[in-house]
Amino acid sequence: MTQEERITLAERIKDVQARVARAAVASGRRAEDITLVAATKMNDADRVRAAIEAGIRVCGENRVQELTDKYEQNAYAGADLQFIGTLQSNKIKYLIGKVSLIQSVGSLKLGQAIAKEAAKKGITQDILLEVNIGREQAKSGLMPEMLPEALDQLRLLPAIRIRGLMAIPPIADETTKNLRYFNEMHQIFVDILTKKYDNVNMDYLSMGMTNDFETAISCGSNMVRIGTAIFGARPYPVP
Ligand SMILES: *Cc1c(COP(=O)(O)O)cnc(C)c1O
């Protein structure tokens, strides 16, 4: 990375942090109530380290292989590491012990498989349940009506701890910015919170990306996952 690239990256991070803070305040919360997760996919270890140096505290990776490679290069030192991508059961073992949170648990089966691997290692793995709020065929995630059963089953497994919900709505429409889906997600989040399931914590509502994070925050999101606004458009040039 050149010095200039480092400066640009630091400026972008400051800008995103300021936008998150403004959106938080506008919805009656504080900046520190919102967790900013930098979506670090396709950024090499150097860029990830530069982002952490510039103030990023949480990194979210999408692919297990990429995470493992960068982890071995000590890319995430000083930050919290989370997994936000599609996860195959046979790769779970590479995440346990490395990530503080697996955000993308989109099926009962996957949750059970994570519990099994975590139990083997004597770890309690924090997870979010991913909801397919747009009901898209091609996307993973639990349909909203499947949530009660998933919660009922997964909350009984001591090696996982449900910490909230995550959603990736359809590609944001320029005018509505997914307002409807974000509102639906918030409603579901509050419903679960109100029902007070044993062993279910609704600490995080993870929604909002580069194109729509301010709208998501206005609808109650307290965790945003941002890639492009921090690192620029993908794919990145090979340094
Ligand atoms: C890449 C990614 C993001 C960030 O997307 P941007 O639009 O680049 O901000 C957020 N969440 C997930 C799951 C991602 O894969």
Side-chain angles (χ1 to χ4, degrees):
M1 267 185 103
T2 66
Q3 189 56 23
E4 214 177 301
E5 284 173 319
R6 277 175 198 282
I7 291 166
T8 306
L9 178 61
E11 283 170 356
R12 283 194 173 132
I13 290 168
K14 284 232 153 48
D15 179 57
V16 169
Q17 286 169 331
R19 287 172 63 190
V20 168
R22 273 199 300 275
V25 170
S27 68
R29 288 173 293 168
R30 296 165 306 170
E32 57 269 33
D33 295 333
I34 316 284
T35 303
L36 168 60
V37 180
T40 43
K41 60 172 169 270
M42 296 177 77
N43 287 282
D44 64 12
D46 261 357
R47 275 174 193 270
V48 174
R49 278 191 287 262
I52 294 167
E53 214 168 288
I56 288 301
R57 288 295 160 259
V58 187
C59 296
E61 285 289 354
N62 276 71
R63 297 181 57 221
V64 175
Q65 182 67 52
E66 190 180 335
L67 180 150
T68 307
D69 289 348
K70 287 191 255 178
Y71 189 89
E72 279 164 11
Q73 296 170 61
N74 207 24
Y76 310 108
D80 198 37
L81 178 59
Q82 304 187 350
F83 190 77
I84 61 176
T86 307
L87 181 56
Q88 287 158 341
S89 290
N90 60 339
K91 303 260 175 80
I92 295 168
K93 57 177 176 287
Y94 303 112
L95 295 182
I96 306 294
K98 293 194 183 74
V99 299
S100 63
L101 182 68
I102 300 176
Q103 291 206 12
S104 37
V105 181
S107 71
L108 181 55
K109 254 189 161 153
L110 183 61
Q112 289 164 333
I114 292 170
K116 202 170 148 196
E117 286 299 327
K120 269 192 218 166
K121 292 193 173 148
I123 281 172
T124 302
Q125 178 66 61
D126 282 358
I127 64 167
L128 303 183
L129 296 183
E130 181 178 349
V131 182
N132 188 347
I133 195 66
R135 299 179 172 280
E136 293 171 280
Q137 281 283 316
K139 259 189 203 156
S140 50
L142 290 147
M143 292 298 171
E145 63 274 16
M146 302 301 292
L147 271 171
E149 199 205 332
L151 287 165
D152 262 333
Q153 304 265 336
L154 295 176
R155 71 193 177 82
L156 302 175
L157 307 176
I160 52 174
R161 185 166 51 179
I162 300 169
R163 300 293 304 274
L165 304 177
M166 179 266 220
I168 309 173
I171 304 291
D173 176 295
E174 267 314 302
T175 49
T176 64
K177 303 269 189 198
N178 279 326
L179 192 64
R180 176 189 139 206
Y181 295 118
F182 291 143
N183 277 324
E184 282 176 18
M185 277 302 299
H186 186 247
Q187 191 57 54
I188 293 169
F189 182 78
V190 170
D191 278 351
I192 297 171
L193 204 61
T194 313
K195 287 198 177 107
K196 294 194 197 304
Y197 287 82
D198 278 339
N199 302 321
V200 172
N201 300 288
M202 283 289 123
D203 301 318
Y204 298 113
L205 177 56
S206 173
M207 56 185 195
M209 319 202 303
T210 291
N211 283 331
D212 55 18
F213 69 89
E214 282 140 323
T215 307
I217 291 171
S218 78
C219 296
S221 165
N222 63 9
M223 181 175 263
V224 292
R225 310 173 309 267
I226 299 178
T228 309
I230 291 174
F231 296 105
R234 293 178 293 270
Y236 308 102
V238 180

